[in-house]
Amino acid sequence: MRAKINENIYIDIKHLRPWSFSKIQKAKRCAYDFYWTYVEKQEPAERADFFILGSGVHYILENAINTVFKRRKPLNYNVLKYFFEQFKQKEPSIEYKRVKPFMPKILNYVNGQLRRLGKIHFFHSEVELCINREFVPAGFNGQEAFIRGKLDFVFAQDDTLYIVDHKTNRSREFSKRMKTQLRWYALLAKAKYPEFKKLALEVHNVRYGFVKRVIFTDTDILHFKLRLVPIIEMVEEEFFGKSFADLTPSPSSTNCRWCDFRHICPAKKE
């Protein structure tokens, strides 16, 4: 099956902005994938199993964290199972046996947050942050939106803002890509919460139950901003004003394996 391409669509700034970390990564990975996702907004033939699993784990964690802070007492497996059933109503294809191995790690992590209750100034989960071209906070879906992201879990303790990103990766490595994503979140958080001098970025690997932390200072964030802007400008110049016929795909065994549009792509590599 091949897609019917509308050659009258030309990529505009509204297709490009706002930029998220995953969006800029997709633009750099393959122009066709980017076009179908953000320009024509094609629906994938099916959602990947790993994406559904990750979404389910995030849903359970988000609700469990909010509940434990509200109740101020430990949760049990029945509460987590209840949140799973809620998610299953939205995503009927998910099976409990896929999520079950994560449950002990989720329970330990969530109940472990109780020790922070008396120390933190505030906490929020699923925080939507956005900045405009001047790196000033903007509406998440506003016309001025330039860079945005959603933070899994944020809390403040003393002079430090903690930002937690939940991962279900099989790899235990703290990859370069992961560190770049954390810098992206730090840039957004600094604009929203400028009063904090230190930002502690924590990667919570739910599969293995460990947390890795990186501290970013104002200088670190400034250096990242200076590197990021030219990259975004280069990508925008590469895409702006082009039609599908003007784009060059990047087929490879890795890119095509994880692409949602293999079923319609004329350049796919098996």
Side-chain angles (χ1 to χ4, degrees):
M1 177 182 178
R2 296 292 171 87
K4 290 186 65 175
I5 307 300
N6 187 342
E7 295 293 350
N8 295 318
I9 297 179
Y10 293 88
I11 300 174
D12 196 358
I13 200 69
K14 68 182 180 182
H15 300 122
L16 301 173
R17 299 179 184 177
W19 291 102
S20 65
F21 178 75
S22 58
K23 189 174 184 179
I24 199 76
Q25 290 289 310
K26 186 165 293 222
K28 292 170 64 180
R29 185 165 59 243
C30 180
Y32 280 9
D33 190 2
F34 179 88
Y35 179 87
W36 281 317
T37 302
Y38 297 106
V39 181
E40 284 206 355
K41 297 184 179 179
Q42 293 265 1
E43 286 294 328
E46 59 182 8
R47 299 177 75 200
D49 287 343
F50 73 87
F51 181 82
I52 296 173
L53 176 62
S55 298
V57 170
H58 273 75
Y59 182 88
I60 295 168
L61 259 170
E62 173 195 353
N63 284 278
I65 288 172
N66 287 332
T67 302
V68 81
F69 276 110
K70 184 177 180 179
R71 292 185 177 182
R72 293 177 172 265
K73 60 181 182 179
L75 304 185
N76 56 40
Y77 283 107
N78 290 333
V79 177
L80 301 188
K81 186 70 180 296
Y82 170 76
F83 293 138
F84 167 79
E85 294 297 340
Q86 282 191 323
F87 182 77
K88 188 172 178 62
Q89 292 179 16
K90 302 178 181 181
E91 195 65 65
S93 65
I94 193 168
E95 298 178 341
Y96 183 69
K97 66 180 181 181
R98 297 288 310 283
V99 176
K100 186 177 179 180
F102 292 87
M103 291 303 207
K105 305 294 193 305
I106 293 175
L107 196 64
N108 288 339
Y109 178 82
V110 170
N111 287 339
Q113 301 308 305
L114 286 170
R115 71 180 186 278
R116 288 171 158 163
L117 269 179
K119 303 175 183 178
I120 64 176
H121 308 317
F122 65 81
F123 85 94
H124 303 287
S125 62
E126 295 297 303
V127 182
E128 294 181 340
L129 297 181
C130 182
I131 54 179
N132 62 21
R133 190 61 182 78
E134 284 68 47
F135 291 85
V136 174
F140 195 78
N141 296 307
Q143 292 185 348
E144 292 188 350
F146 178 52
I147 296 173
R148 69 183 183 181
K150 183 179 289 187
L151 314 185
D152 289 338
F153 180 36
V154 178
F155 65 92
Q157 183 174 328
D158 299 326
D159 64 344
T160 303
L161 182 72
Y162 292 80
I163 302 168
V164 182
D165 189 36
H166 306 303
K167 299 290 188 186
T168 55
N169 298 13
R170 292 186 180 277
S171 173
R172 295 175 179 267
E173 293 183 7
F174 198 40
S175 66
K176 181 179 178 181
R177 182 182 185 278
M178 198 177 295
K179 291 178 183 177
T180 302
Q181 185 177 14
L182 293 181
R183 291 185 179 97
W184 187 286
Y185 293 159
L187 179 64
L188 293 169
K190 185 62 182 178
K192 175 68 174 179
Y193 308 104
E195 65 271 24
F196 293 100
K197 296 300 180 183
K198 289 192 300 183
L199 299 181
L201 283 293
E202 295 186 346
V203 175
H204 170 217
N205 190 307
V206 193
R207 184 180 296 273
Y208 301 115
F210 66 78
V211 174
K212 290 188 177 181
R213 179 184 299 168
V214 180
I215 302 294
F216 290 125
T217 64
D218 289 353
T219 301
D220 296 325
I221 296 170
L222 176 60
H223 287 168
F224 176 68
K225 181 170 72 173
L226 294 175
R227 293 197 305 270
L228 178 62
V229 172
I231 293 174
I232 292 178
E233 290 176 344
M234 179 183 66
V235 172
E236 290 185 344
E237 183 178 348
E238 179 183 346
F239 280 90
F240 184 78
K242 291 185 177 180
S243 68
F244 184 85
D246 299 320
L247 301 177
T248 302
S250 304
S252 70
S253 57
T254 301
N255 288 349
C256 296
R257 179 185 179 189
W258 302 114
C259 179
D260 291 324
F261 307 104
R262 297 184 302 277
H263 61 296
I264 59 173
C265 183
K268 69 177 179 181
K269 186 172 183 178
E270 300 296 344

